[in-house]
Amino acid sequence: MDTASHAIDSALVARFAAIVGERYAITDQGDIAPYLVEPRGLWHGAAPLVLRPGSVEEVSRIMRLASETHTPIVPQSGNTGLVGAQVPDATGRQVILSLSRLNRIREIDVQSNTVTVEAGVILQALQEAADAADRLFPLSLASQGSCQIGGNLSSNAGGTGVLAYGNARELCLGVEVVLPTGEVFDDLRKLKKDNTGYDLKNLFVGAEGTLGVITAAVMKLFPKPKGREVAFVGLASPQAALALFSMATDRAGPDLTAFELIARRPYDFTVRHAAGVVRPLAGDFPWYVLMEVSSGRSAEDAKELAEAILGAALQDGTIEDAVIAASLAQREAFWNFREMLPETQKVEGASIKHDISVPVSSIPAFIEKGAEAVRSVSPDARVVCFGHMGDGNLHYNISRPADGDDVAFLALYKPMNKAVHDVVRSFGGSISAEHGIGQLKRAELIATAPPMAIDLMRRVKAAFDPAGIMNPGKVV
Amino acid sequence: MDTASHAIDSALVARFAAIVGERYAITDQGDIAPYLVEPRGLWHGAAPLVLRPGSVEEVSRIMRLASETHTPIVPQSGNTGLVGAQVPDATGRQVILSLSRLNRIREIDVQSNTVTVEAGVILQALQEAADAADRLFPLSLASQGSCQIGGNLSSNAGGTGVLAYGNARELCLGVEVVLPTGEVFDDLRKLKKDNTGYDLKNLFVGAEGTLGVITAAVMKLFPKPKGREVAFVGLASPQAALALFSMATDRAGPDLTAFELIARRPYDFTVRHAAGVVRPLAGDFPWYVLMEVSSGRSAEDAKELAEAILGAALQDGTIEDAVIAASLAQREAFWNFREMLPETQKVEGASIKHDISVPVSSIPAFIEKGAEAVRSVSPDARVVCFGHMGDGNLHYNISRPADGDDVAFLALYKPMNKAVHDVVRSFGGSISAEHGIGQLKRAELIATAPPMAIDLMRRVKAAFDPAGIMNPGKVV
């Protein structure tokens, strides 16, 4: 269906506005502006209207009218996504549906360890509500102060808690979804086990708003750890990091709650550029790991666990040095150091980023082959490698040469992407481990995924959204 | 499409047989017989042909021919499913596709903690292969000596390891699927994170062979626990069991690896009828819990953990009595006692079974309301309640009155099912927590699920299998 042929005239704008009330139908272009651009500024769109419904019923009526009038709808929650999935296209014919007013936590069930939460709840607010109920909601992202649960689910968000707790998909037990027709699919169940037919929930999770609008979800909660220890480790190589990861997994199992790999270059960038940052380790090492272990048993147990792992790894020469945070403040400083890495890279000039994953065992070989691929495109470009090694997920970013030019370097975006992603594919990896596809990687996905996968995805899309009004131009 | 109009003539049989070779095309009805009936004998089917392909390529050629000739195909692996999903219908027009010869373990990657395994590998063989590689494959079912991974995935199998490790779905990282057209969808990836489009994997998992034929999968492995403790606990009520579950979860978190609830009646049945069984506890209690904790730290740590949880629960009066298995033999005896429950119920005459789940916090209320519902249908029927309480999943089975008649009781099958399932639905529960839909629960699912859910499932089915040749008559 060619949705482009249906422009949004003022009568239609008025009909949409009447659903949410004038106050929540934004038509002033100045007020609309923040909804049209995403955090990195790569994608700018246009829209005649932003609708801010206050209930699922209003979302349903919006979709019904959209369906009736073939109006393309772009769902948006916190607008922190990094692939342009939440931004309309440039035609000015797409209407933005903001979920931010659906911001109630409907229920916390501490015995079932579940929370029923609406799409517009800010991640940090959910973390805090869980904390107040003596529970942990483990999803944790750099953007948690503004990203919202609807977007977290639609993008299947990852972050630093995935290793032990899973990504947004694994944390979700049930969803409430408004379909393109306006019908409400209520699957808000708190069940850990349910084998009654196809897994529809996991189709909506990660679909970036292209199959329906997630309006609420049941998410898992966890007991709060009684102890947590964070260590900074210096190592000789990615192979050593892999060996440490194996040792830590063997002993801590699911209590290994973070395992972040950091190359010397981003480490040095952060030491150099971040105000007030203290070097976690006295010496310099080619590679670093930030490792966290948690314990439900006791604070003492977490400490013993961290010491046992690092003691054994020091003794057998797997690692060069390690320091366990001696205080809550130092623990936060270590995490803060990790979280500063993307920021401090910016100071070093333009960069070309990759959000990739490979099998964990392939991380060392990927790092070696990746560097060769980068050199083949730009001999002096600087690989800035860090990420969630325990998940096989690296933010494999390439900064321009130290004395290079931003514009000249960014002109290499496509060949650099291709060179790095070719290596990723050679390891059976993913070109989008956690950020999704959106607009940014759509063409590449379609060009390089197995044609069968694209075909099946398009069949799903056509089955759920035959009129093509649900966030068109995204994913497939 | 009306597949029934296409009978299987001998020429077509010969074409199918040529793909696998005569030796692996079973046409003798005596040899076919074991493929036509499932373990409980509820479903008997007919088939002119059982095909036993030896490669994915052969599966592909079979499906291509099936597609071309509109021949309905029923995939079957270990034939242990409990809902008739793997059994053909009575028309004699459906061909059985046995996956049992696809029984290679293609690769174990101990650093990535993955195993790549074909559909016909027997679960226990996979457990043993993992064990030999010093890893744990945690899926564990009563039928593990004969069930196969393809069926485990197609039914999203549960069992006793779900609490800590998840069901088959959560254990699966990637699949290889032959589509109804014969095309091979190769998504055999070892990635913990991959956000490149819709989650197709989770559609095939749990689809009971109605969307395609799973021929191989990448499954997760885990470190082997260094310590494991199993306790038998006596309690006053399901409320007390829920309180113990909360205490255990709080302290053990993911190291709480089993939490099985057992009512006094099935406990007594087992004491009475199982040969050589020793009473786990000296006294009698209204309810029992079998609790297991595991530790990656040490055997000593697992012992301390179990003692800490049970000590605290004894001290505050949550539980009445508890015994921790003192030896490996006693640990196995405790588990054996749990596994005998379904068998020993049989001795007490006919029963009507329910495989249900509710939110964990609703377990006590469900047990109360369930008993009322049972009494309303058969005042003297005996509720036999046990199951995976930590997952909210109970095998809520009803034995005929002690002095009752099997046939008269089984005549109550439908009203009893309805009465119990109505209570399940009132708690937002599931009428099939782990066994699936197959033929057994298809009519009820279609009649009682939200029409929107059925509609969406049928759209998925039509999108993937437009000719309707893939295990027709199952699920939706």
Side-chain angles (χ1 to χ4, degrees):
Chain A
M1 167 136 335
D2 179 11
T3 52
S5 59
H6 302 272
I8 315 278
D9 61 22
S10 59
L12 184 52
V13 166
R15 287 178 72 191
F16 275 116
I19 294 171
V20 295
E22 206 172 315
R23 183 170 164 201
Y24 297 114
I26 309 176
T27 52
D28 179 277
Q29 282 297 320
D31 295 336
I32 288 176
Y35 295 86
L36 302 178
V37 59
E38 45 76 63
R40 291 204 281 226
L42 294 173
W43 305 98
H44 297 259
L49 179 63
V50 174
L51 295 167
R52 302 187 62 221
S55 68
V56 177
E57 169 61 21
E58 287 182 4
V59 176
S60 168
R61 289 169 61 202
I62 290 168
M63 290 314 306
R64 213 145 54 214
L65 180 57
S67 187
E68 179 193 324
T69 57
H70 305 298
T71 307
I73 299 290
V74 181
Q76 185 178 108
S77 50
N79 192 15
T80 61
L82 295 170
V83 293
Q86 75 279 21
V87 176
D89 68 16
T91 62
R93 293 194 176 91
Q94 301 186 331
V95 170
I96 294 171
L97 172 59
S98 166
L99 280 305
S100 58
R101 286 181 63 225
L102 297 182
N103 60 358
R104 281 189 314 138
I105 292 176
R106 293 189 193 166
E107 186 205 9
I108 291 184
D109 179 343
V110 293
Q111 287 186 305
S112 294
N113 273 316
T114 61
V115 55
T116 307
V117 62
E118 293 183 342
V121 170
I122 290 173
L123 173 53
Q124 195 170 310
L126 177 52
Q127 292 167 346
E128 288 166 3
D131 190 68
D134 198 29
R135 291 293 181 273
L136 171 72
F137 183 67
L139 190 66
S140 177
L141 314 175
S143 60
Q144 62 197 24
S146 51
C147 67
Q148 296 166 11
I149 294 301
N152 294 151
L153 285 167
S154 291
S155 64
N156 186 27
T160 51
V162 175
L163 182 60
Y165 300 101
N167 51 16
R169 182 186 304 289
E170 276 88 47
L171 297 174
C172 179
L173 293 173
V175 288
E176 176 188 79
V177 177
V178 176
L179 298 172
T181 52
E183 293 161 294
V184 179
F185 173 54
D186 178 355
D187 194 34
L188 272 185
R189 295 202 272 186
K190 298 185 199 172
L191 306 177
K192 304 218 172 133
K193 278 177 163 177
D194 178 22
N195 277 346
T196 52
Y198 304 149
D199 183 353
L200 300 170
K201 175 195 81 189
N202 279 320
L203 273 182
F204 294 110
V205 173
E208 304 182 12
T210 62
L211 301 179
V213 184
I214 296 174
T215 49
V218 179
M219 307 297 290
K220 292 182 192 170
L221 297 175
F222 296 84
K224 272 157 78 170
K226 296 186 191 63
R228 192 177 281 185
E229 296 291 336
V230 178
F232 230 101
V233 183
L235 312 96
S237 66
Q239 285 80 357
L242 185 59
L244 175 63
F245 178 65
S246 288
M247 293 172 77
T249 301
D250 178 59
R251 203 178 283 246
D255 285 340
L256 179 65
T257 43
F259 197 94
E260 302 281 310
L261 180 70
I262 306 167
R264 167 124 188 223
R265 184 172 282 125
Y267 181 93
D268 284 350
F269 283 180
T270 299
V271 168
R272 198 178 306 157
H273 301 305
V277 150
V278 177
R279 299 171 73 85
L281 288 167
D284 289 325
F285 303 94
W287 293 87
Y288 300 88
V289 162
L290 182 154
M291 183 181 96
E292 183 187 88
V293 297
S294 301
S295 171
R297 296 156 174 68
S298 64
E300 180 65 19
D301 177 67
K303 193 148 184 290
E304 285 172 12
L305 182 59
E307 286 171 353
I309 295 165
L310 295 171
L314 273 170
Q315 192 157 11
D316 76 1
T318 300
I319 65 176
E320 309 294 313
D321 194 11
V323 58
I324 298 176
S327 64
L328 185 61
Q330 195 177 14
R331 199 171 91 191
E332 284 172 359
F334 283 4
W335 268 117
N336 180 55
F337 191 98
R338 162 64 184 87
E339 280 151 14
M340 292 301 291
L341 301 177
E343 285 303 310
T344 56
Q345 187 183 3
K346 286 184 191 165
V347 186
E348 294 281 332
S351 67
I352 299 174
K353 300 189 171 188
H354 308 89
D355 163 39
I356 64 98
S357 67
V358 293
V360 176
S361 60
S362 300
I363 290 263
F366 168 79
I367 286 173
E368 193 185 322
K369 297 285 178 193
E372 288 171 18
V374 169
R375 277 196 298 275
S376 75
V377 176
S378 172
D380 298 321
R382 295 170 295 169
V383 174
V384 176
C385 175
F386 61 92
H388 320 297
M389 177 167 174
D391 309 319
N393 175 200
L394 295 177
H395 297 294
Y396 193 77
N397 300 338
I398 319 299
S399 281
R400 65 152 167 74
D403 54 358
D405 172 73
D406 280 358
V407 175
F409 183 68
L410 289 177
L412 299 173
Y413 187 88
K414 284 199 175 177
M416 185 67 81
N417 254 223
K418 183 177 183 318
V420 170
H421 287 174
D422 281 348
V423 178
V424 169
R425 284 183 281 263
S426 77
F427 286 103
S430 168
I431 62 165
S432 186
E434 50 177 25
H435 297 162
I437 297 298
Q439 302 181 64
L440 182 64
K441 296 181 182 172
R442 186 180 184 222
E444 182 174 0
L445 177 70
I446 292 169
T448 62
M452 179 51 49
I454 300 298
D455 178 47
L456 289 173
M457 289 183 204
R458 286 184 169 157
R459 289 193 228 173
V460 169
K461 171 71 175 171
F464 280 59
D465 180 26
I469 60 168
M470 204 69 256
N471 207 9
K474 315 293 166 58
V475 187
V476 285
Chain B
M1 166 135 336
D2 179 13
T3 52
S5 60
H6 301 273
I8 314 278
D9 61 22
S10 59
L12 184 52
V13 167
R15 287 178 72 192
F16 275 117
I19 294 171
V20 296
E22 207 172 314
R23 184 172 162 198
Y24 297 114
I26 310 176
T27 52
D28 179 277
Q29 283 297 322
D31 295 336
I32 288 177
Y35 294 87
L36 301 179
V37 58
E38 45 76 63
R40 290 205 282 226
L42 294 173
W43 306 97
H44 297 258
L49 181 62
V50 174
L51 295 167
R52 302 186 63 221
S55 68
V56 177
E57 169 61 22
E58 287 182 3
V59 176
S60 167
R61 288 169 61 202
I62 290 168
M63 289 313 307
R64 214 146 54 213
L65 180 56
S67 187
E68 181 192 321
T69 57
H70 306 297
T71 307
I73 299 291
V74 180
Q76 185 178 109
S77 49
N79 192 15
T80 61
L82 296 169
V83 293
Q86 75 279 22
V87 176
D89 68 16
T91 62
R93 292 195 176 91
Q94 301 187 330
V95 170
I96 294 172
L97 173 59
S98 166
L99 279 306
S100 58
R101 286 182 64 225
L102 297 182
N103 61 358
R104 280 189 313 138
I105 293 176
R106 293 189 191 165
E107 186 204 9
I108 292 184
D109 179 341
V110 293
Q111 287 187 304
S112 294
N113 273 315
T114 61
V115 55
T116 307
V117 62
E118 292 183 343
V121 170
I122 290 173
L123 174 52
Q124 194 169 309
L126 178 51
Q127 292 167 347
E128 288 165 3
D131 191 68
D134 199 28
R135 292 294 182 273
L136 172 72
F137 183 66
L139 190 66
S140 178
L141 314 175
S143 60
Q144 63 198 24
S146 51
C147 68
Q148 296 167 10
I149 293 302
N152 295 151
L153 285 167
S154 291
S155 64
N156 186 25
T160 51
V162 176
L163 183 60
Y165 299 100
N167 50 16
R169 183 187 303 292
E170 275 89 46
L171 296 174
C172 179
L173 293 172
V175 287
E176 175 188 81
V177 178
V178 176
L179 298 172
T181 52
E183 293 161 295
V184 179
F185 173 54
D186 178 356
D187 195 33
L188 274 184
R189 295 202 272 185
K190 298 185 200 172
L191 306 177
K192 304 218 171 132
K193 279 177 162 178
D194 178 22
N195 277 345
T196 52
Y198 304 149
D199 184 353
L200 299 170
K201 176 194 79 189
N202 279 319
L203 274 182
F204 294 110
V205 174
E208 303 181 12
T210 62
L211 301 178
V213 184
I214 296 175
T215 48
V218 180
M219 307 297 291
K220 294 182 192 169
L221 297 175
F222 295 84
K224 272 157 76 171
K226 295 184 191 64
R228 191 177 282 185
E229 296 291 337
V230 177
F232 230 100
V233 183
L235 312 94
S237 66
Q239 285 80 357
L242 185 58
L244 175 63
F245 178 65
S246 288
M247 293 171 77
T249 303
D250 178 59
R251 204 179 281 248
D255 284 341
L256 179 65
T257 44
F259 197 93
E260 301 281 311
L261 181 70
I262 306 167
R264 168 125 185 221
R265 183 171 284 126
Y267 181 93
D268 284 350
F269 284 179
T270 299
V271 169
R272 199 178 305 158
H273 301 304
V277 149
V278 177
R279 300 172 72 84
L281 288 168
D284 287 327
F285 303 93
W287 293 87
Y288 299 88
V289 162
L290 182 154
M291 183 180 96
E292 182 187 89
V293 297
S294 302
S295 171
R297 296 157 174 69
S298 64
E300 181 64 19
D301 177 67
K303 193 148 185 287
E304 285 173 10
L305 181 59
E307 286 171 352
I309 293 166
L310 295 170
L314 273 170
Q315 191 158 13
D316 76 1
T318 300
I319 64 177
E320 310 294 314
D321 194 10
V323 57
I324 298 177
S327 64
L328 185 60
Q330 196 177 13
R331 198 171 92 191
E332 283 171 0
F334 283 5
W335 268 118
N336 180 55
F337 191 99
R338 161 66 184 85
E339 279 151 15
M340 292 302 291
L341 302 177
E343 284 303 310
T344 55
Q345 187 183 3
K346 285 185 192 166
V347 186
E348 294 281 332
S351 67
I352 299 174
K353 301 190 170 190
H354 307 89
D355 163 40
I356 64 97
S357 67
V358 294
V360 176
S361 60
S362 300
I363 290 264
F366 167 79
I367 286 173
E368 193 185 321
K369 298 286 178 193
E372 287 170 19
V374 169
R375 277 196 298 274
S376 75
V377 176
S378 173
D380 297 321
R382 295 169 296 168
V383 174
V384 177
C385 176
F386 61 90
H388 319 296
M389 176 166 175
D391 308 319
N393 175 200
L394 295 178
H395 297 294
Y396 194 78
N397 300 339
I398 319 299
S399 281
R400 64 151 167 75
D403 54 358
D405 173 73
D406 280 359
V407 175
F409 183 68
L410 289 177
L412 299 173
Y413 187 87
K414 283 198 175 178
M416 185 66 82
N417 255 222
K418 183 179 184 313
V420 171
H421 288 173
D422 281 349
V423 178
V424 169
R425 284 183 280 264
S426 77
F427 285 104
S430 169
I431 62 164
S432 187
E434 49 176 27
H435 297 163
I437 297 299
Q439 302 180 63
L440 182 66
K441 296 183 182 171
R442 187 180 183 222
E444 181 173 0
L445 177 71
I446 292 169
T448 62
M452 178 52 49
I454 301 298
D455 178 45
L456 289 174
M457 288 183 206
R458 286 184 169 158
R459 288 192 229 173
V460 169
K461 170 72 175 171
F464 281 60
D465 179 27
I469 60 168
M470 205 70 256
N471 207 8
K474 315 293 167 59
V475 188
V476 287

